[in-house]
Amino acid sequence: MFEQFKKLICQYVEADEEEILPSSRFSEELGFNSYDYMCMLGEAEDEFDIEIIESEATSIKTVGEMVEYFEVLKNEKNQNT
């Protein structure tokens, strides 16, 4: 999921996939503004077939935290189906 998410990130900011690490911070290091961040989250919902809770997602600061959050949502969805 991390590799797939890195590709998605690169659609929104000028970053090389190789430079995106789990510790990369969205706004400080990758240059996301709030609009791009929310647009990326909307696309991530479609890409990963999950439903993101906006209030939870806005508190996430790093790529690794977001991937972990996506994995939790995906696991919860799989358990409920």
Side-chain angles (χ1 to χ4, degrees):
M1 184 176 281
F2 176 65
E3 294 300 318
Q4 191 177 359
F5 187 47
K6 288 195 314 185
K7 290 179 187 345
L8 182 61
I9 289 170
C10 289
Q11 294 176 21
Y12 288 88
V13 293
E14 297 289 326
D16 292 326
E17 281 186 52
E18 301 81 38
E19 296 175 1
I20 299 173
L21 306 172
S23 61
S24 296
R25 297 176 68 81
F26 286 104
S27 60
E28 294 89 343
E29 294 175 26
L30 298 175
F32 271 90
N33 62 38
S34 58
Y35 177 77
D36 288 337
Y37 184 74
M38 296 311 291
C39 289
M40 181 208 48
L41 291 179
E43 190 166 336
E45 286 184 314
D46 295 336
E47 181 87 18
F48 299 108
D49 193 28
I50 54 177
E51 188 171 328
I52 295 170
I53 299 168
E54 187 177 322
S55 61
E56 292 177 0
T58 55
S59 66
I60 294 172
K61 303 297 181 206
T62 69
V63 173
E65 291 171 354
M66 187 64 74
V67 170
E68 288 176 17
Y69 177 61
F70 288 173
E71 289 172 346
V72 167
L73 293 176
K74 192 76 167 169
N75 289 337
E76 288 174 356
K77 182 177 180 181
N78 290 339
Q79 290 176 355
N80 292 331
T81 56

